[in-house]
Amino acid sequence: MIPKPKLGRLLPALRQAVTGHRLLFAGKTAVAAGLAWYLAPLMPGSAAAYPYYAPLGVLVSMHPTVAASAKHGLQSLLGLGLGIAMAFAVTTVTAPTALAVAVVVGLGVVIGGLPRLGSASEWVPMAALFVLVLGYSNAQGFSFAYVLQMAMGVAVGFALNWLVFPPLHLEGIDPAIDGHQRALSKQLRDMASAMTESWPPDHEDWASRSGELARTATAVRTAVQAAKLSAKANPRSRRRAGRLPGDLAGLRAVERLTFHVQDVTDVLASVIWEEDAGTVIPEGVPPNLAKALEDVAAAIRQWRHADAEDLKSALDEARDSVAALSDTLTEAAAGQVSVNATASVAMSLRRIITVVSDAA
């Protein structure tokens, strides 16, 4: 029997692996490899004797996006060319001895370290080694077969990836933004609750959530960038990827909101728990501060999904609450009380309102 902790880790991993996108990708790769193997004996000359390199070409060209398929396929062929050229130079002076193998592998790794080679870096030493060891007796014929079969496999893999449901990763954007939107709103609501508790507040979970907010923001960035990459050279993008400019704008708004919410978190955490920081919230201000935090949280919650009137109402209420907070701070400042920390929070809340308003 599988222990529960291991099973708990295994099931999420399996769910992540066995997705619709992954199964489609696996099916296309399998079909492309079979097609390449079928076509391999039809290649001219000595290439027909090396059919196994055709499915290998498919594997190096099949990637989750069309643009990546083209990029990695071409880079792999470039690496083959460089490795074969280096092997030719070595085979003119020596047989495939241990020293020769060491030389071509070492030089291949060095050449593979050149900038901008990408996937080619992995193929330089491999191609050189294959030509030296497997094709030494007929380096020219082997190299011709190697390159031709790999190129055919790369072409088949790219063609199938481009023609058959080319992946367009748009479905992950909305859940990622929604999740982060909820996290930001919850963060402000929890801070609003803390302002109305006995001082200092009994709980401080919200004060340590910067890492969590950063992770959910990264999930949004990853989802949008994956969709952007999948739209490149994708024939389906003209019909379905018109939303990408809006998603990129949403990503920028999310990143700005995250920055301001984290700033509010840091300031309030300093006020409450850092006695030597010199930051305080004047007496009488916490109720107004709590109302402003709660109303700005509501505005974030309404963003993207509420109708225009509801969002406008939420933004107007948030502006009024922040204005009331500013009036309270002005009165407190007149009494020679430090209001720097709360003024900083008020400024961040104004900026959050501006971001939501501009992004709406």
Side-chain angles (χ1 to χ4, degrees), residues 6-330:
K6 291 185 178 179
L7 186 61
R9 291 192 297 268
L10 179 61
L11 291 179
L14 287 175
R15 282 195 294 267
Q16 186 175 359
V18 187
T19 61
H21 275 301
R22 194 67 186 174
L23 290 176
L24 175 61
F25 181 66
K28 290 196 297 183
T29 304
V31 171
L35 180 59
W37 180 261
Y38 174 79
L39 296 174
L42 305 179
M43 293 296 100
S46 60
Y50 301 93
Y52 36 83
Y53 289 118
L56 183 60
V58 169
L59 291 178
V60 303
S61 70
M62 291 298 284
H63 284 265
T65 66
V66 174
S69 288
K71 177 182 176 181
H72 287 278
L74 293 175
Q75 285 178 342
S76 299
L77 293 177
L78 172 62
L80 288 179
L82 291 173
I84 288 170
M86 183 180 62
F88 262 109
V90 174
T91 55
T92 58
V93 296
T94 182
T97 63
L99 178 60
V101 168
V103 168
V104 297
V105 170
L107 287 176
V109 172
V110 170
I111 294 172
L114 293 173
R116 297 184 177 276
L117 282 185
S119 299
S121 63
E122 302 171 6
W123 285 95
V124 176
M126 189 180 301
L129 181 63
F130 280 9
V131 171
L132 176 66
V133 175
L134 301 179
Y136 171 71
S137 60
N138 181 22
Q140 185 174 354
F142 178 82
S143 300
F144 168 76
Y146 192 7
V147 172
L148 185 61
Q149 293 285 20
M150 286 285 290
M152 187 270 287
V154 166
V156 169
F158 173 77
L160 205 67
N161 210 17
W162 188 75
L163 291 172
V164 181
F165 298 107
L168 195 58
H169 301 291
L170 301 178
E171 69 282 350
I173 297 175
D174 283 335
I177 294 181
D178 288 347
H180 191 61
Q181 186 177 344
R182 288 192 297 269
L184 292 173
S185 180
K186 175 176 172 55
Q187 181 72 353
L188 291 179
R189 289 200 314 273
D190 285 352
M191 288 188 283
S193 297
M195 295 304 103
T196 60
E197 293 176 357
S198 58
W199 205 262
D202 294 330
H203 71 284
E204 54 185 87
D205 293 348
W206 56 268
S208 57
R209 280 199 202 127
S210 289
E212 182 180 339
L213 292 177
R215 283 192 296 273
T216 55
T218 298
V220 175
R221 190 179 305 110
T222 299
V224 174
Q225 292 303 324
K228 185 179 178 181
L229 288 174
S230 71
K232 289 183 178 179
N234 192 321
R236 299 169 66 201
S237 65
R238 284 170 291 191
R239 299 192 304 272
R240 299 183 59 190
R243 57 172 286 178
L244 278 176
D247 291 328
L248 290 171
L251 171 60
R252 288 190 291 271
V254 159
E255 290 177 332
R256 292 170 64 194
L257 288 173
T258 303
F259 173 81
H260 296 309
V261 171
Q262 287 179 322
D263 189 55
V264 172
T265 302
D266 292 341
V267 171
L268 292 182
S270 173
V271 168
I272 297 170
W273 287 290
E274 295 180 17
E275 297 180 0
D276 299 329
T279 52
V280 296
I281 296 179
E283 186 178 350
V285 171
N288 293 92
L289 178 56
K291 180 72 164 66
L293 289 166
E294 184 66 47
D295 288 345
V296 173
I300 293 177
R301 197 163 57 248
Q302 297 277 13
W303 174 51
R304 295 182 72 245
H305 297 300
D307 59 47
E309 282 300 317
D310 288 342
L311 178 58
K312 181 179 181 302
S313 176
L315 287 170
D316 288 342
E317 189 167 351
R319 290 189 186 97
D320 291 342
S321 296
V322 174
L325 173 62
S326 297
D327 291 342
T328 303
L329 292 178
T330 300

